[in-house]
Amino acid sequence: MTAWLFFDKKYLTGKYFDESDEGWIWVFRGIWNQKLLRFNKHIPFPISPNIVISDYKRLILGNDNLNNFQSFGIYFQNFSADIILGDSVYIAPNVGIITANHDFQNLDNHVDGKCVEIGSYSWIGMNSVILPGVVLGSRTIVGAGSVVTKSFEDGNVIIAGNPARIIKKLEIL
């Protein structure tokens, strides 16, 4: 397929291409939005014009994550540290994942960034914010509207609130 003329081939694989036509729909929409209309033109994979990624080179993706770039309002602020998504992560609309904050003594400056890592098979609910340095283990569910200020590295939990805390531990399958 000629889609590889427009996007990096490594992103055009997985369940959205093998099990359905959904991935190809995103490709054609991406060609229109990114290559013809020039929204997010530099991103090497299909992405909605309503997504913000500070630095796509600092975004490390596991398998089957292309769905996270088809929605609206997701903000990946990663100009100074990496955001790492494990396999099959789901990120709802209007989520912010932030790797650096402002220096509280001089708001024109940012403090050094800290990587954010979201484990495989995790789900980040709508309107949530993940702050710098947070590590979420596999199968972590973040309730809608949560502010995640600390890590939950063991995973297999539902967290929610501001600041987020464990609401329920999940059975390991």
Side-chain angles (χ1 to χ4, degrees):
M1 165 147 229
T2 59
W4 299 301
L5 295 172
F6 300 99
F7 299 110
D8 189 326
K9 186 176 181 176
K10 73 180 180 181
Y11 297 109
L12 307 181
T13 62
K15 69 181 179 183
Y16 297 105
F17 295 91
D18 299 338
E19 299 172 14
S20 74
D21 292 333
E22 198 167 13
W24 298 115
I25 294 168
W26 298 335
V27 165
F28 292 120
R29 193 179 312 143
I31 291 169
W32 176 259
N33 287 322
Q34 292 170 255
K35 306 310 177 189
L36 296 175
L37 297 180
R38 314 297 281 163
F39 292 107
N40 285 321
K41 64 184 178 189
H42 62 288
I43 307 285
F45 51 83
I47 182 172
S48 165
N50 301 310
I51 305 283
V52 174
I53 300 175
S54 298
D55 184 354
Y56 77 87
K57 294 174 187 165
R58 298 205 77 149
L59 187 60
I60 300 165
L61 303 176
N63 295 319
D64 296 325
N65 278 305
L66 203 56
N67 59 309
N68 294 310
F69 304 98
Q70 310 311 314
S71 187
F72 58 91
I74 300 174
Y75 176 67
F76 294 92
Q77 184 260 46
N78 61 335
F79 54 81
S80 64
D82 295 339
I83 294 174
I84 303 161
L85 301 181
D87 296 339
S88 297
V89 171
Y90 285 86
I91 301 174
N94 298 322
V95 167
I97 302 176
I98 301 166
T99 62
N101 280 316
H102 291 275
D103 180 344
F104 69 90
Q105 295 190 15
N106 181 353
L107 297 178
D108 291 331
N109 296 326
H110 281 88
V111 296
D112 290 338
K114 296 179 184 172
C115 293
V116 171
E117 184 173 348
I118 300 173
S120 296
Y121 310 105
S122 293
W123 172 23
I124 312 302
M126 187 173 192
N127 297 320
S128 295
V129 178
I130 313 289
L131 293 179
V134 166
V135 175
L136 300 178
S138 293
R139 291 179 165 67
T140 297
I141 298 171
V142 177
S146 297
V147 178
V148 184
T149 61
K150 66 178 186 175
S151 295
F152 296 88
E153 295 181 35
D154 292 338
N156 296 302
V157 292
I158 299 173
I159 61 175
N162 181 4
R165 61 183 172 79
I166 294 176
I167 301 299
K168 181 179 182 178
K169 293 189 178 199
L170 300 172
E171 297 289 324
I172 298 174
L173 302 176

